[in-house]
Amino acid sequence: METNQQAANVLDPDCPSRVVFQRIGDKWASLVIQVLANGPVRFSELRKMVHVVTPKVLTQTLRSLERDGLIRRKVYAQVPPRVDYTLTDLGLSLLAPLSQLREWAENNVPAIIDARDAYDELRDSELLEG
């Protein structure tokens, strides 16, 4: 079987890697993946750990991640039904880059807040003068 694939380029609007990049960049998806780093988690526990996500949005996020092969959903035949979510090997491979991004964000949040404050002050003074 011959494949006619070009090299992936996230800057190309027609490249499928854009969809992957968009999925990983989604705030809920990246948080869910990080929560699942420690093993299986049930829906209600996941929702508590991610905070402020609605059940509908969390369900959509989980379905998208499952469709992309990043998580696995396991249903247990019991009453009430129990569903656990775990990372697949592909999902596990995403933990290191996400951890680096998380560390960068947590280390640089003071500088970003300072930059925002400086920008807002400059804009406010320009508006008052203008």
Side-chain angles (χ1 to χ4, degrees):
M1 178 186 336
E2 188 178 321
T3 60
N4 189 13
Q5 276 188 312
Q6 294 177 321
N9 178 358
V10 77
L11 298 178
D12 178 351
D14 296 324
C15 183
S17 66
R18 258 201 191 197
V19 176
V20 174
F21 199 70
Q22 185 178 16
R23 172 83 59 244
I24 294 165
D26 173 77
K27 71 178 177 180
W28 301 120
S30 61
L31 293 174
V32 165
I33 290 167
Q34 291 179 76
V35 167
L36 294 177
N38 296 322
V41 179
R42 294 174 79 169
F43 183 91
S44 58
E45 296 168 358
L46 190 55
R47 186 163 177 244
K48 286 178 198 170
M49 296 169 84
V50 171
H51 300 289
V52 303
V53 63
T54 65
K56 178 183 177 183
V57 170
L58 182 56
T59 297
Q60 290 170 339
T61 300
L62 290 167
R63 284 183 183 153
S64 296
L65 291 171
E66 184 179 13
R67 182 173 184 242
D68 290 344
L70 297 169
I71 67 169
R72 186 174 299 111
R73 179 178 182 264
K74 184 170 183 182
V75 180
Y76 295 89
Q78 62 185 52
V79 178
R82 177 179 155 198
V83 179
D84 283 347
Y85 295 90
T86 57
L87 291 174
T88 62
D89 288 343
L90 187 60
L92 287 167
S93 73
L94 188 53
L95 287 174
L98 279 179
S99 293
Q100 288 179 323
L101 183 58
R102 177 182 179 172
E103 183 179 331
W104 182 90
E106 291 172 350
N107 289 338
N108 288 288
V109 74
I112 291 170
I113 290 171
D114 289 346
R116 285 180 181 176
D117 290 345
Y119 177 88
D120 291 345
E121 285 178 28
L122 181 63
R123 295 286 292 162
D124 290 345
S125 67
E126 288 174 349
L127 289 175
L128 289 174
E129 293 171 6

